[in-house]
Amino acid sequence: MKPTPVVIVGGGPAGLAAAGALKQKGISSTILEAGESVGSSWRGHYERLRLHTVRGLSNLPGRPIPAEMGKWVARADLVAYLEDYATHFQLEVRFGARAEKVTRDRAGGWCVHTGTDELAAQTLVLATGYNRRPVLPDWPGREGFEGALLHSARYRNAEPYRGKRMLVVGSGNSGAEIAVDLVEGGAGEVLVSIRTAPNIQRREFLGIPTQVMGILAGKLPVPVADRLSLVLQRLGIGDLRPYGIDPPARGVMSRIYEDAQIPLIDMGFLDALKARKLTVVPAVEGFEGREVLLKGGRRVQPDAVVAATGFERALEPLVGSLGVLKPDGVPRVSGGATLPDAPGLHFIGYVNEPGGLLRKIRIDAEAIAGAVVAGARAAA
């Protein structure tokens, strides 16, 4: 196999950003995308989704998001932007190419095995996505539940659930927004199961986007930023205990850095909660026939359960044998950095930060392009 200078695995925002940053440096790449279009995971998200980060801080390298898409970009508009980005930079994308495993080749480069062929690369960028594989907890009795049970990855809109009694499990952004969508879409009753009290922030506070405040707070020591976030939550949101939500035990920065858990950005959840249009219930512990068993012995009988229970990066099948992952499956390095025993292998899009994932992707893409250029010069 004649090696391709740069191969990128993943045709979502992270893969496109890396390819676009490289193209601006005069370096072509080949993107392997398992789906049939760029941004395939974004196309499958629930329809009401909008970015929680402002348009001006969410673009990929070298191409602003059009102003007409508004301050808070809708899911469909972001997909259109990704398509335009790939076209503008004339990126080479091979669709239907699902990477299954990565190995070292005899020349010291990398080989991507897709199941149908192999592609050698001098530099390999893994960009398969922060939310690659849905996680559905193995609750006792789950398989025998007589209602409908689906992961949030399969939820599109509220239309199928008009008049239904719904239970949404999870207090992250997906769970909160799906709960609001169900309320506004005519569900008969909406219950939200919360295990851990979330850090909740307004999308803007005193006219300042939360993203900007997060960037500034990220420069502070974590304990200081944590205390500040808890104070701002008390000031901006108030006491939610009358509505079933305790104050969070830990600050925003600790949750981001230690648990990879970003705060819940309010997109109508608080209004629905305070208007008693949705009801908070304890954590799910199991299923029994038509019933869902909650912590503390309570039982409810929803018609359908939407499990907004997160995703896994699922990099182990690809590179688990290479020693490049931490015990939790997160890459040991990101962006322009590579490991001494894995030169030329870059990761992008697996680490979230207070400034937002898309902003981090842009920074890391530009760092990868710089590292590739520097490596080429050193080898010349």
Side-chain angles (χ1 to χ4, degrees), residues 13-322:
L16 295 177
L22 286 164
K23 195 68 174 286
Q24 292 171 74
K25 298 285 189 181
I27 300 172
S28 296
S29 62
T30 299
I31 300 174
L32 305 181
E33 165 55 42
E36 298 302 323
S37 58
V38 298
S40 58
S41 63
W42 278 89
R43 296 172 191 273
H45 286 316
Y46 50 94
E47 293 173 2
R48 76 174 285 129
L49 176 63
R50 286 183 177 269
L51 295 184
H52 302 139
T53 53
V54 294
R55 172 179 48 80
L57 293 174
S58 303
N59 62 283
L60 305 187
R63 188 91 171 144
I65 299 175
E68 56 265 27
M69 292 186 176
K71 187 174 185 178
W72 311 102
V73 180
R75 177 194 62 85
D77 285 337
L78 183 69
V79 170
Y81 168 72
L82 297 178
E83 292 174 338
D84 170 77
Y85 191 86
T87 300
H88 176 78
F89 287 110
Q90 298 181 323
L91 303 180
E92 179 191 347
V93 186
R94 297 187 185 180
F95 296 111
R98 181 179 297 277
E100 296 182 351
K101 190 173 182 62
V102 170
T103 59
R104 295 297 298 270
D105 67 18
R106 294 180 181 178
W110 301 96
C111 182
V112 182
H113 306 261
T114 67
T116 58
D117 61 3
E118 300 175 356
L119 189 64
Q122 296 169 342
T123 298
L124 178 61
V125 180
L126 291 187
T128 52
Y130 192 86
N131 297 330
R132 189 181 185 199
R133 184 167 62 198
V135 174
L136 189 63
D138 189 19
W139 288 301
R142 186 188 78 185
E143 298 301 326
F145 179 53
E146 296 173 7
L149 171 62
L150 68 153
H151 190 273
S152 59
R154 292 172 48 211
Y155 179 90
R156 295 296 174 266
N157 58 53
E159 182 60 31
Y161 309 108
R162 286 183 177 274
K164 304 290 187 180
R165 191 179 197 208
M166 302 296 298
L167 172 64
V168 179
V169 184
S171 58
N173 284 292
S174 294
E177 291 176 30
I178 288 171
V180 173
D181 195 49
L182 288 166
V183 167
E184 295 177 351
E189 182 180 14
V190 180
L191 310 175
V192 180
S193 170
I194 294 180
R195 181 177 299 276
T196 303
N199 299 93
I200 305 176
Q201 296 182 337
R202 301 282 186 182
R203 190 164 61 172
E204 293 182 290
F205 186 72
L206 299 177
I208 302 173
T210 294
Q211 179 187 15
V212 173
M213 298 177 69
I215 293 170
L216 297 174
K219 302 179 185 299
L220 299 174
V222 170
V224 175
D226 275 349
R227 287 195 294 272
L228 180 61
S229 72
L230 294 175
V231 169
L232 289 176
Q233 177 160 333
R234 286 199 300 272
L235 292 175
I237 294 169
D239 187 2
L240 298 180
R241 284 175 292 186
Y243 306 97
I245 301 179
D246 292 329
R250 298 159 59 205
V252 168
M253 293 301 169
S254 293
R255 296 291 302 279
I256 292 175
Y257 291 134
E258 296 173 12
D259 304 337
Q261 181 65 53
I262 64 173
L264 191 166
I265 307 300
D266 179 45
M267 304 276 282
F269 179 79
L270 289 173
D271 285 345
L273 178 70
K274 293 179 179 181
R276 306 289 184 178
K277 294 181 179 179
L278 55 81
T279 303
V280 172
V281 299
V284 171
E285 294 197 334
F287 292 79
E288 190 174 288
R290 285 284 308 168
E291 296 184 319
V292 179
L293 315 180
L294 305 177
K295 185 177 181 179
R298 182 176 173 182
R299 295 169 177 248
V300 294
Q301 293 186 355
D303 297 303
V305 177
V306 181
T309 45
F311 297 79
E312 294 175 336
R313 297 167 183 82
L315 284 166
E316 289 81 0
L318 277 175
V319 294
S321 63
L322 300 176

